[in-house]
Amino acid sequence: MAAQKDLYDAIVIGAGIQGCFTAYHLAKHRKRVLLLEQFFLPHSRGSSHGQSRIIRRAYPEDFYTQMMAECYQIWAQLEHEAGTQLYRQTGLLLLGMKENAELKIIQATLSRQGVEHQCLPSEELKQRFPNIRLARGEVGLLEKSGGVLYADKALRALQDAIRQLGGIVHDGEKVMEIKPGLLVVVKTTSRSYQAKSLIITAGPWTNRLLRPLGIELPLQTLRINVCYWREKVPGSYDVSQAFPCFLGFSLAPYHIYGLPSGEYPGLMKVCYHHGNNADPEERDCPAAFSDIQDVHILSCFVRDHLPNLEPEPAVMEHCMYTNTPDEHFILDRHPKYDNIVIGAGFSGHGFKLSPVVGKILYELSMKLMPSYDLTPFRISRFPSLGKAHM
């Protein structure tokens, strides 16, 4: 039996952005919390590393846009507590054909939710952003509050805040076994711990932890190419020149997105919102043929739409997505063990929403009434997960 000093109110497995915000909310509410991370921090093996992410309210679904209102508040609060800038407002430009259905749905959602935005017909778009070349019939939707989150700074700020609030962070400590019970026992490579509740936010490693607990979620792990493109004239697409983040619809089978240059001087981040099946343990495997296809799609986009960039990537990094079939998150209790909570399947769009995700996972772990309707995020929405999986 673990010693009394190793008993916690909650243990969080996985110190990516979702696990960090969960531990932050627990520590804020004076809970004794232990955050476990298998790799030494900081690391680039998961989904939360790198310098930048897009923040936006623009979503087709009302529930994400509603969640984002509180996310902006919590990001601002963390920024204030940390005394460091974590968000830069650049605006978010959505690009697509005038008749694009998703663009119309997003505009309707922004209008319904009272989010400030502006529709830009082709001519006005050309005047506002002369260094974007448009396809015939392409229009824009500008969401004013969109911008850039400084991801690595945010993780550091959260980990510091958790420690300052009395939480404990153990990195380089891999979970080997979870024993369910009134008190959950978590055995790591170093020792055993006990907790009244356990929260699993382990990204691509989620099912490895859940299988011995009798459940396997429909999660697909993808390796994403994060590409940076050199400006022909330094500063053309710079954040200081008021160039916005952008999201392109109907230009390829999946969305293409970009952030103004800034994190690497003279390089702009332009990526494809899709990747290839990957084992998280073998993330640095050689490029698959589909990797080359994805980069070719991006090269064509850059050549046709961003003429002031060199059309070959100057730097290519990798990131992991853990996708659900519907690309909505899983925020739920284990079907059999109600003191084990799961946050998974953030599908490449979870970083900006992590302040509220962490709050929800905290509420679930403490058996509090959730602040949001969790219907879209329940495990039971996947009918294939019948009793056979329990």
Side-chain angles (χ1 to χ4, degrees):
M1 174 137 172
Q4 190 65 32
K5 65 184 170 62
D6 286 335
L7 174 62
Y8 292 88
D9 292 311
I11 293 173
V12 181
I13 301 176
I17 195 69
Q18 312 299 344
C20 282
F21 258 119
T22 304
Y24 170 78
H25 284 291
L26 283 157
K28 273 238 168 216
H29 289 87
R30 306 196 172 180
K31 303 300 174 190
R32 187 164 155 74
V33 59
L34 170 65
L35 177 61
L36 291 171
E37 170 54 52
Q38 63 175 323
F39 301 112
F40 287 101
L41 296 168
H43 69 82
S44 60
R45 295 291 299 273
S47 308
S48 297
H49 62 280
Q51 294 181 54
S52 61
R53 294 292 186 282
I54 291 176
I55 184 168
R56 59 186 164 104
R57 288 179 165 92
Y59 266 98
E61 300 87 3
D62 287 84
F63 56 84
Y64 286 126
T65 303
Q66 287 162 357
M67 288 163 84
M68 280 309 303
E70 188 177 4
C71 286
Y72 272 91
Q73 291 169 13
I74 299 173
W75 280 118
Q77 179 189 318
L78 179 65
E79 206 172 42
H80 176 71
E81 288 169 5
T84 187
Q85 186 182 12
L86 302 176
Y87 157 63
R88 181 156 185 167
Q89 187 173 349
T90 63
L92 172 74
L93 180 64
L94 306 174
L95 289 169
M97 293 301 168
K98 195 173 182 177
E99 62 280 1
N100 182 272
E102 192 167 5
L103 207 54
K104 287 179 176 175
I105 292 166
I106 290 171
Q107 189 192 338
T109 304
L110 293 175
S111 297
R112 247 192 331 272
Q113 298 298 329
V115 177
E116 192 182 352
H117 65 283
Q118 193 178 357
C119 296
L120 300 175
S122 299
E123 282 311 309
E124 192 175 344
L125 200 50
K126 282 175 194 165
Q127 285 170 359
R128 287 278 294 272
F129 305 107
N131 45 2
I132 299 177
R133 191 187 289 145
L134 301 173
R136 188 185 294 276
E138 216 169 356
V139 296
L141 179 63
L142 187 65
E143 186 218 313
K144 302 278 177 69
S145 57
V148 178
L149 285 171
Y150 298 122
D152 51 354
K153 286 184 184 173
L155 273 174
R156 274 201 304 275
L158 274 173
Q159 288 155 10
D160 289 347
I162 291 161
R163 292 185 183 104
Q164 283 164 11
L165 291 163
I168 296 170
V169 181
H170 283 186
D171 60 351
E173 202 168 326
K174 185 175 181 176
V175 172
M176 305 308 287
E177 189 184 2
I178 297 165
K179 289 180 184 168
L182 198 57
L183 291 178
V184 184
V185 178
V186 177
K187 189 179 173 192
T188 73
T189 41
S190 299
R191 60 201 295 183
S192 288
Y193 307 94
Q194 287 184 316
K196 295 170 191 171
S197 68
L198 173 69
I199 304 105
I200 297 173
T201 51
W205 291 272
T206 299
N207 275 330
R208 183 181 72 76
L209 295 170
L210 289 178
R211 268 182 221 112
L213 301 175
I215 184 171
E216 182 153 4
L217 299 175
L219 299 173
Q220 181 188 27
T221 304
L222 300 176
R223 183 177 84 153
I224 307 298
N225 298 310
V226 181
C227 298
Y228 296 84
W229 311 74
R230 193 172 305 284
E231 294 171 316
K232 291 175 182 174
V233 177
S236 320
Y237 297 100
D238 197 90
V239 69
S240 63
Q241 299 296 314
F243 193 79
C245 296
F246 72 82
L247 199 51
F249 301 94
S250 63
L251 308 165
Y254 298 90
H255 301 160
I256 291 171
Y257 65 92
L259 294 85
S261 61
E263 54 184 294
Y264 292 132
L267 296 179
M268 184 178 178
K269 183 175 176 178
V270 181
C271 307
Y272 194 39
H273 190 63
H274 190 61
N276 305 293
N277 285 325
D279 179 336
E281 300 296 348
E282 298 170 18
R283 205 198 61 174
D284 298 320
C285 57
F289 175 65
S290 42
D291 269 344
I292 297 157
Q293 280 183 312
D294 290 355
V295 174
H296 178 68
I297 287 168
L298 284 174
S299 288
C300 292
F301 173 85
V302 167
R303 184 194 65 213
D304 296 342
H305 281 77
L306 302 167
N308 293 341
L309 294 180
E310 299 288 352
E312 294 297 326
V315 176
M316 198 155 85
E317 299 171 345
H318 296 111
C319 179
M320 302 299 281
Y321 280 9
T322 308
N323 285 20
T324 59
D326 59 9
E327 296 195 357
H328 298 319
F329 312 156
I330 293 168
L331 308 173
D332 207 348
R333 293 192 182 93
H334 188 291
K336 191 173 172 185
Y337 310 112
D338 75 345
N339 61 346
I340 297 179
V341 173
I342 303 159
F346 295 100
S347 305
H349 67 108
F351 199 99
K352 70 186 87 62
L353 284 145
S354 56
V356 162
V357 166
K359 181 182 177 181
I360 290 167
L361 295 175
Y362 149 72
E363 289 167 342
L364 287 172
S365 71
M366 292 294 119
K367 309 261 185 12
L368 302 170
M369 175 67 76
S371 301
Y372 294 83
D373 176 10
L374 299 186
T375 307
F377 309 119
R378 292 209 176 104
I379 293 170
S380 58
R381 74 185 190 270
F382 302 114
S384 61
L385 282 180
K387 295 290 178 199
H389 284 261
M390 302 304 164

